[in-house]
Amino acid sequence: MKKKPEIIAIDGPAASGKSTLAEKLAEALGYLYFDTGVMYRAVTLAALEAFHCVDDEGRVSELAENLQIDVRPPSKKDGRKFDVISAGEDVTWQIRSPEVDANVSRVSAYARVRKAMTAQQRRIGQRGRVVMVGRDIGTVVLPEADLKIYLDASVEERARRRFVEQAERGGNLSYEDILKAMKHRDRYDASRAIAPMQPANDALILCSDGLTAEEILKKVLELVRQESEP
Ligand code: CDP
């Protein structure tokens, strides 16, 4: 009898539906849902607050190596899925700002930042019963994952989703601005030297264009079932 996948890695570009899938999948399986993007976002926010820009690789790296980031169950009913605590402060919504969006890929390309974040993520992932989401989970953080999904979608569809999300939160960016920023971040994430965003060789590539969150969840639960079959 094959064992049910204990470590599930979900990678892919911004707004492809990774977080929604991972959250629902973790709930269905009774696993921990861990979104690694929040760690890079928390470092970026802290660097912007401390230095007003993220250009100084040495200083940003040192900050990342010393920053205490915690992800905890939600303490407020304001639409959040979890609390993100950085240096003791609740930064759950601040890490979603356009300033963080614009700078996070720069920060996440720094070698020492990645090393510090990857070590923490591996420690959590290796405990098992986890659905971990990011760009490099199947390739670098947890290459031993039992099931690897690379969730993609067209950049137009992804920008449309982000546009709706930010408008619901009272943001006033245009669809065109979001599309442009997203293309820029994709290019940066896919072309960086360390742990670039790419599907692992043994990842299953799914495209979420035209599919609802429920349809994707169903597909992935079916994959989990197949993996667990004798
Ligand atoms: O939510 P969204 O897909 O927009 O982004 P995210 O998952 O929160 O990730 C924000 C940024 O962090 C990405 O654009 C990457 O630059 C970086 N990241 C990374 O390099 N490696 C990860 N495992 C997760 C995020």
Side-chain angles (χ1 to χ4, degrees), residues 97-182:
S97 72
E99 291 72 34
V100 172
D101 273 358
N103 288 281
V104 65
S105 289
R106 186 90 198 276
V107 170
S108 68
Y110 293 155
R112 279 168 60 197
V113 173
R114 293 211 76 81
K115 197 170 166 211
M117 300 299 114
T118 301
Q120 296 190 44
Q121 292 159 12
R122 252 192 92 64
R123 238 188 337 268
I124 294 167
Q126 281 177 325
R127 294 183 201 142
R129 297 180 64 84
V130 66
V131 182
M132 196 171 276
V133 185
R135 301 287 187 288
D136 60 340
I137 309 304
T139 50
V140 175
V141 178
L142 296 166
E144 71 271 47
D146 306 305
L147 178 64
K148 301 180 187 179
I149 309 281
Y150 188 88
L151 189 61
D152 211 343
S154 67
V155 70
E156 289 78 16
E157 172 77 23
R158 294 187 285 116
R160 198 188 55 74
R161 290 179 191 160
R162 249 325 115 86
F163 173 69
V164 172
E165 269 171 33
Q166 64 97 36
E168 278 171 3
R169 289 209 309 266
N172 53 10
L173 294 177
S174 69
Y175 167 80
E176 283 71 27
D177 285 342
I178 292 179
L179 181 66
K180 200 169 147 211
M182 198 168 270

Side-chain angles (χ1 to χ4, degrees), residues 17-48:
K18 304 181 300 287
S19 308
T20 310
L21 167 65
E23 193 203 334
K24 288 177 186 295
L25 184 63
E27 199 186 314
L29 298 172
Y31 285 10
L32 173 76
Y33 158 49
F34 191 89
D35 178 1
T36 60
V38 303
M39 299 183 73
Y40 293 98
R41 287 176 176 275
V43 172
T44 306
L45 178 71
L48 288 171

Side-chain angles (χ1 to χ4, degrees), residues 214-229:
E214 264 63 39
E215 286 166 332
I216 297 166
L217 175 68
K218 215 171 135 204
K219 266 183 192 243
V220 175
L221 279 171
E222 179 59 25
L223 287 169
V224 171
R225 202 185 54 76
Q226 283 169 12
E227 288 285 314
S228 324
E229 261 174 9

Side-chain angles (χ1 to χ4, degrees), residues 32-109:
L32 173 76
Y33 158 49
F34 191 89
D35 178 1
T36 60
V38 303
M39 299 183 73
Y40 293 98
R41 287 176 176 275
V43 172
T44 306
L45 178 71
L48 288 171
E49 280 175 352
F51 319 127
H52 306 291
C53 81
V54 300
D55 293 347
D56 189 330
E57 182 168 352
R59 285 210 295 180
V60 174
S61 302
E62 202 179 310
L63 184 149
E65 284 161 353
N66 294 297
L67 189 65
Q68 182 70 41
I69 306 165
D70 265 338
V71 180
R72 300 184 194 151
S75 63
K76 289 195 185 113
K77 282 194 174 149
D78 59 358
R80 65 181 62 195
K81 310 293 182 203
F82 41 72
D83 286 4
V84 182
I85 311 292
S86 172
E89 199 193 325
D90 184 340
V91 295
T92 310
W93 292 119
Q94 287 97 305
I95 60 168
R96 304 285 166 191
S97 72
E99 291 72 34
V100 172
D101 273 358
N103 288 281
V104 65
S105 289
R106 186 90 198 276
V107 170
S108 68

